[in-house]
Structure formats: C-alpha cells, structure tokens
Amino acid sequence: MKRVFLFLFLVSNSLIAQSNLPTSANDISPLLIGEKVPSLSLKDTNGKSVNFSDLISSKKTILVFYRGGWCPYCNTHLSALAEAESQLIEQGYQIVAISPDSPKSLMETQTKEKLNYTLLSDSDGEFAKAFGIAFQAPENYSKYLKKSSENLNTDLYIPVPSLFILNQSGTIIFEYISPDYKQRITNDLLLSVVKSL
C-alpha cells in the first residue's frame, strides 16, 4: 500500500511540476529591460557545453529564442538574421540563437539555412524558463518537439519567439517578444535599434 501511495505521490508531483509552465504564449512573464540574464550552460552544435556568460562577455549580443528547425517561420527569421549579420558585426554585435532542438538538429538547421552564427541547444528548457518565455506546448506540437530534441524536451515546452539585445555584462538593453509566432522583428527595425543603443 505504501508503494502505491509513493508512486501516486511521485506522479502527482511530476504533473504539478509540468503545470508550473504557462499554458499559453500570452501568459508568460519575461525578464525585463535592465534585468540580468541567467548564467547557465547550453550545448553547441557539437554537443559541447558552453557557458552563456563567457560567450557574451566579449561583445554585445543579439539573443534569439526560436521554436525549432521544424518551424518555417523560425527558419525564415534565422535566414533573415543571417542577411543582416555583417551589418550587426560592424556595429560590434554577435548573434546567438537558442531553441529546444538537440545539437544534431541544430547542426541540420545551421547547414540547411547556411548560418554562420552560433546556435545553442536548450532541450531541457532551463534557459527559456529562466527568461520567463517558456510555456506548455499544445498537444499537436509534441511530435515535433520530441523528434527535434531527440526526446530531451521532457516538459514539452516551447519558447515564445523572442529577441533580446544584451550588453557584455548580461544586462538586457532591448527586447522584442511576440506571442504570435508568425510575427518577428524585421531587419530594418533591428538595425535601427542597434544603431540607436
């Protein structure tokens, strides 16, 4: 009897942990301009751990959260950023894009979209959760999230597509967050913001 109770207790705790995520993109509570970003490690396309604070310490960073390589809107945005990359570099910035995808899936996206900038894996969602932009994915997304993360995205979370501009100390100096995944910041607006900061 005790074992059954323990099992039920563990199951209910697991369900409670998952329900801590907002159930809608409109219910997130993101970090705000002026706040510092978390210092966590993520995996690069080769599966190597990268400390985020170390990565951004040498130059200002355009940080992009995207849903995954399975999302056509995300791929269009990633390609658009690649077109603006040289101008952003001239302004002293680097681009870093993060998704729930596994390192292998990141490599596939990087090759397919011909991206030169850094892609990082946040399969467990700790980084997106710390930014306050993770929410529980609708059921119809589960097959995409499981496949692209190689079953590492156990919470089946999805990040709201977001763009943060960070200084070298990890403070947010600009953000663009759109609960409507079809709406992304344009290169013209991004370049205008970068030049004004």
Side-chain angles (χ1 to χ4, degrees), residues 57 68 71 93 194 196:
S57 63
C71 170
Y93 289 82
V194 161
S196 69

Side-chain angles (χ1 to χ4, degrees), residues 1 6 17 25 32 34 51-52 62 64 66 71 101 124 188:
M1 188 70 176
L6 180 60
L32 303 174
N51 180 279
F52 190 73
I62 309 290
V64 177
Y66 68 103
C71 170
D101 286 355
D124 62 10
D188 287 344

Side-chain angles (χ1 to χ4, degrees), residues 104-122:
K104 179 184 172 187
S105 296
L106 293 178
M107 182 70 83
E108 290 170 3
T109 297
Q110 193 164 50
T111 302
K112 180 184 166 194
E113 304 300 330
K114 300 182 173 80
L115 307 176
N116 293 317
Y117 53 83
T118 303
L119 299 185
L120 296 175
S121 173
D122 181 32

Side-chain angles (χ1 to χ4, degrees), residues 33-184:
I33 292 171
E35 292 192 280
K36 280 205 146 204
V37 302
S39 178
L40 295 171
S41 290
L42 302 111
K43 302 278 188 193
D44 66 13
T45 52
N46 296 310
K48 180 182 172 186
S49 285
V50 175
N51 180 279
F52 190 73
S53 294
D54 292 343
L55 180 65
I56 65 170
S57 63
S58 60
K59 56 179 68 173
K60 292 176 284 187
T61 301
I62 309 290
L63 172 63
V64 177
F65 283 93
Y66 68 103
R67 301 176 344 140
W70 51 269
C71 170
Y73 296 95
C74 296
N75 290 331
T76 298
H77 187 220
L78 294 176
S79 294
L81 285 170
E83 291 171 13
E85 185 177 18
S86 61
Q87 292 170 275
L88 293 167
I89 289 171
E90 283 173 16
Q91 296 292 324
Y93 289 82
Q94 66 177 339
I95 302 171
V96 176
I98 297 176
S99 79
D101 286 355
S102 69
K104 179 184 172 187
S105 296
L106 293 178
M107 182 70 83
E108 290 170 3
T109 297
Q110 193 164 50
T111 302
K112 180 184 166 194
E113 304 300 330
K114 300 182 173 80
L115 307 176
N116 293 317
Y117 53 83
T118 303
L119 299 185
L120 296 175
S121 173
D122 181 32
S123 292
D124 62 10
E126 291 308 307
F127 206 60
K129 289 173 193 172
F131 269 79
I133 58 165
F135 71 101
Q136 194 71 55
E139 183 61 36
N140 58 323
Y141 283 109
S142 62
K143 63 181 177 182
Y144 302 113
L145 295 171
K146 287 176 182 176
K147 182 180 178 185
S148 67
S149 74
E150 297 185 63
N151 293 311
L152 296 173
N153 183 353
T154 54
D155 283 345
L156 296 180
Y157 90 93
I158 196 165
V160 171
S162 310
L163 183 144
F164 297 88
I165 299 181
L166 315 172
N167 63 19
Q168 293 94 320
S169 65
T171 300
I172 299 170
I173 55 178
F174 173 83
E175 62 185 41
Y176 182 97
I177 301 167
S178 176
D180 179 355
Y181 65 86
K182 297 177 182 179
Q183 299 297 317
R184 309 296 170 98

